[in-house]
Amino acid sequence: MHGAAHIRAVLGLGCALLSPPGAAGYLGHHGFLAMLRAGGWRGAEVAILDCGDDAGWAWAALRDGMPMVVLRAGGDAARAFPGRVLPQAPPARDLQHWQERRGRGWLEEWAGG
């Protein structure tokens, strides 16, 4: 997810909403949550913030309500927040170059297949 338009496009497809790699370092969890909400996310879909290797970002995000994080070195955070820390990002479709005018067809095909 690179913006609210991407979130709007994916909502309802049953896909997780995944930040770009390492987004916690430049967007922060508050920024990612704000972007999710601006796109219409209300907590029903899984949202995942990629924290790279930084446990500090992951701890802060999880404490403040981020549903899930990617933390390559899970360690204590994975034990403290069971089921909410992933050691790697799930398969994802990068929406960096997608635009609303293209429609959702290829997203729906990818999500369904």
Side-chain angles (χ1 to χ4, degrees):
M1 304 289 111
H2 296 276
H6 295 165
I7 291 151
R8 282 191 296 277
V10 173
L11 285 176
L13 294 178
C15 299
L17 304 169
L18 176 64
S19 77
Y26 58 86
L27 184 59
H29 63 281
H30 292 296
F32 186 56
L33 285 168
M35 184 175 68
L36 289 167
R37 290 182 183 120
W41 178 78
R42 299 293 174 254
E45 294 81 10
V46 173
I48 307 168
L49 176 64
D50 192 313
C51 298
D53 294 325
D54 196 301
W57 292 332
W59 276 90
L62 292 164
R63 275 195 319 262
D64 288 349
M66 190 72 232
M68 294 184 85
V69 298
V70 173
L71 178 60
R72 282 159 198 58
D76 292 338
R79 287 187 288 282
F81 298 96
R84 295 177 57 197
V85 179
L86 304 174
Q88 63 185 25
R93 175 103 341 162
D94 188 350
L95 299 181
Q96 182 176 8
H97 300 292
W98 179 85
Q99 297 172 1
E100 286 183 274
R101 65 180 169 75
R102 293 184 179 173
R104 287 180 21 150
W106 70 273
L107 291 170
E108 291 167 348
E109 182 179 324
W110 183 79

